[in-house]
């Protein structure tokens, strides 16, 4: 069996991808990780596809200078906008998006004939990536979606536990939930697990689905399939990079890493 201790690259527009990293870390505790958060340029979700393509290529180039063996896109917006382009431009790199693994695991998670709601950024929702993929694999499922553009900005500001966040949730989702009565709600943005507790208490009875779990499982499957697993005896190293070392980014890493060792560095990406 081959052992490959090169790191897995994980990236997001900001701190949201840390919710995915938490799942990867829990499932694959011996895999070295390089995380990049583009905190200086977040949010991506209301930017043009061209800009998101450019940013995600820059981040890929940066991660490749760190000799990553695989890149996990911990961002629904980039997965919707740029995954296919990245695969074409860097055919030698195994990329894993976050939308496909979620959709692939749905048959095991949801009941037939149910209604699934997807919430995400403007780019993710407008792309209809979730809707098309779900309809293709599960034609009996009703899929509805709603963009919640300001959630990311508030979360990056560290306001995910504030009354402003409650007001914004009601503003974007009350009518949508009342009209459609979904059985499940896919958190189609990696920032949203940080407000999962609020969504659960405002809309009890709806089952919340966090794609980070399926993505971590898919990463494990791919590592096995490509023979890229790290030494199972080793303790993983975690290196975080951000284009702006914001207070919230630092705090969020602290809550995930607790008293474990890690490094955190600023890195500038030239446009
Ligand atoms: N966490 C990103 C996602 O999953 C947020 C996108 C943004 O920066 O707007 O879509």
């Amino acid at each position: 069996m081959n052992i490959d201790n090169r790191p897995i690259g994980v990236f997001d527009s900001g701190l949201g991808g840390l919710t995915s990293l938490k799942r990867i870390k829990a499932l694959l505790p011996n895999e070295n990780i390089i995380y990049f958060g583009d905190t200086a340029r977040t949010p991506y979700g209301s930017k043009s596809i061209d800009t998101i393509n450019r940013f995600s290529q820059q981040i890929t180039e940066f991660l490749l200078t760190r000799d990553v063996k695989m890149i996990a896109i911990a961002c629904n917006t980039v997965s919707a906008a740029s995954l296919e382009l990245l695969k074409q431009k860097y055919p030698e790199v195994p990329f894993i998006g976050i939308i496909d693994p979620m959709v692939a695991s749905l048959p095991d998670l949801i009941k037939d004939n149910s209604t699934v709601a997807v919430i995400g950024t403007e780019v993710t929702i407008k792309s209809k990536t979730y809707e098309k993929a779900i309809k293709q694999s599960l034609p009996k499922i009703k899929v509805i979606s709603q963009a919640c553009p300001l959630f990311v900005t508030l979360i990056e500001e560290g306001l995910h536990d504030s009354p402003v966040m409650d007001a914004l949730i009601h503003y974007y989702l009350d009518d949508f939930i009342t009209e459609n009565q979904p059985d499940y709600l896919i958190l189609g943005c990696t920032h949203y697990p940080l407000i999962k507790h609020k969504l659960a208490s405002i809309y009890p009875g709806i089952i919340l689905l966090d794609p980070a779990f399926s993505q971590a499982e898919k990463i494990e499957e791919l590592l096995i399939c490509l023979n890229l697993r790290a030494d199972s005896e080793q303790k993983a190293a975690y290196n975080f990079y951000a284009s702006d070392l914001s207070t919230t980014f630092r705090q969020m890493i602290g809550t995930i890493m607790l008293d474990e060792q890690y490094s955190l560095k600023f890195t500038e990406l030239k446009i």
Side-chain angles (χ1 to χ4, degrees):
M1 195 187 74
N2 188 48
I3 287 180
D4 191 330
N5 286 333
R6 288 178 299 158
I8 299 173
V10 180
F11 80 90
D12 180 42
S13 65
L15 58 81
L18 295 170
T19 62
S20 295
L21 173 108
K22 193 174 169 182
R23 299 297 154 214
I24 299 168
K25 185 173 176 291
L27 190 68
L28 303 161
N30 57 323
E31 291 292 340
N32 295 323
I33 306 281
I34 305 259
Y35 181 94
F36 179 83
D38 201 358
T39 40
R41 304 190 293 196
T42 194
Y44 281 11
S46 26
K47 292 193 166 60
S48 70
I49 304 288
D50 282 350
T51 298
I52 300 166
N53 283 342
R54 195 168 74 245
F55 289 176
S56 46
Q57 283 177 77
Q58 289 171 342
I59 298 169
T60 299
E61 296 285 349
F62 167 73
L63 291 172
L64 292 176
T65 65
R66 296 293 181 276
D67 195 27
V68 294
K69 61 183 171 185
M70 172 183 286
I71 295 183
I73 302 173
C75 178
N76 290 263
T77 306
V78 172
S79 300
S82 313
L83 177 59
E84 291 317 312
L85 177 87
L86 293 173
K87 282 182 176 170
Q88 271 172 30
K89 288 238 166 189
Y90 307 93
E92 71 288 0
V93 181
F95 283 99
I96 301 187
I98 192 159
I99 298 178
D100 292 346
M102 175 77 259
V103 175
S105 66
L106 280 181
D108 295 330
L109 298 172
I110 66 174
K111 293 203 187 92
D112 284 347
N113 300 313
S114 51
T115 301
V116 175
V118 183
I119 54 171
T121 66
E122 245 173 271
V123 166
T124 302
I125 299 306
K126 267 197 193 142
S127 76
K128 297 195 181 295
T129 311
Y130 271 106
E131 271 174 275
K132 287 182 204 155
I134 297 172
K135 280 189 181 141
Q136 199 174 15
S137 69
L138 298 161
K140 285 187 189 157
I141 299 298
K142 182 176 174 209
V143 194
I144 44 159
S145 56
Q146 172 71 34
C148 307
L150 283 175
F151 281 1
V152 170
T153 310
L154 241 60
I155 295 167
E156 287 285 337
E157 288 296 327
L159 292 172
H160 49 279
D161 258 331
S162 68
V164 190
M165 185 50 92
D166 289 85
L168 203 59
I169 292 173
H170 287 296
Y171 173 73
Y172 282 133
L173 296 177
D174 277 0
D175 291 350
F176 172 72
I177 299 289
T178 311
E179 277 161 31
N180 297 292
Q181 299 288 321
D183 304 292
Y184 304 92
L185 183 65
I186 295 180
L187 308 177
C189 170
T190 51
H191 284 71
Y192 300 175
L194 293 163
I195 54 166
K196 196 174 174 179
H197 58 295
K198 284 197 179 285
L199 293 167
S201 78
I202 297 174
Y203 309 112
I206 301 179
I207 298 171
L208 305 179
L209 301 173
D210 176 357
F213 289 86
S214 322
Q215 188 187 37
E217 282 163 16
K218 183 71 196 170
I219 292 171
E220 182 179 41
E221 196 184 304
L222 207 64
L223 288 172
I224 295 169
C225 169
L226 299 175
N227 215 3
L228 291 175
R229 273 176 302 179
D231 181 355
S232 59
E233 303 291 310
Q234 83 165 350
K235 199 171 157 15
Y238 296 91
N239 291 293
F240 296 90
Y241 293 86
S243 49
D244 176 57
L245 295 180
S246 66
T247 313
T248 6
F249 188 74
R250 289 170 189 270
Q251 282 170 348
M252 206 55 74
I253 294 175
T255 40
I256 289 175
M257 298 304 291
L258 299 171
D259 48 9
E260 280 186 74
Q261 289 279 325
Y262 62 88
S263 83
L264 170 60
K265 291 186 192 120
F266 164 76
T267 185
E268 193 181 356
L269 297 181
K270 292 265 185 299
I271 298 188

